[in-house]
């Protein structure tokens, strides 16, 4: 993780939040000065409280607003979204 300044973290939405294991993963690293960009898949649930629930696990990082993609999102759609952060 040390070599990255921007980290995209993807997961399925579970009742409007990231699965708890995502918090556990993030807490294992020093994220100071990094940018964290969450993205998720879901059949219908939105991002809901995702950023609120992830914030305490991203101490020292800038947590960007996440985006939910439908299961049928195309590679081009994902790429265009991700490239907007670079």
């Amino acid at each position: 993780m040390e070599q990255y300044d921007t980290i995209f973290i993807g997961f399925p939405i579970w009742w409007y939040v990231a699965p708890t294991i995502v918090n556990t993963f993030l807490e294992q690293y020093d994220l100071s000065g990094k940018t964290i960009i969450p993205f998720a898949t879901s059949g219908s649930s939105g991002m809901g409280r995702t950023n609120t629930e992830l914030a305490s696990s991203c101490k020292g990082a800038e947590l960007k607003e996440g985006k939910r993609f439908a299961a049928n999102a195309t590679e081009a759609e994902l790429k265009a979204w991700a490239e907007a952060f670079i």
Side-chain angles (χ1 to χ4, degrees), residues 25-80:
F25 173 78
L26 292 168
E27 291 164 4
Q28 301 305 305
Y29 300 98
D30 177 5
L31 301 173
S32 300
K34 301 197 181 292
T35 300
I36 308 297
I37 306 166
F39 65 98
T41 57
S42 172
S44 62
S45 298
M47 292 297 276
R49 299 180 321 276
T50 297
N51 273 34
T52 301
E53 298 293 324
L54 287 179
S56 65
S57 299
C58 299
K59 291 185 173 114
E62 179 182 3
L63 180 60
K64 296 286 191 176
E65 190 64 35
K67 180 171 173 78
R68 179 195 67 88
F69 291 92
N72 63 350
T74 65
E75 181 180 343
E77 180 182 1
L78 295 169
K79 186 175 180 181

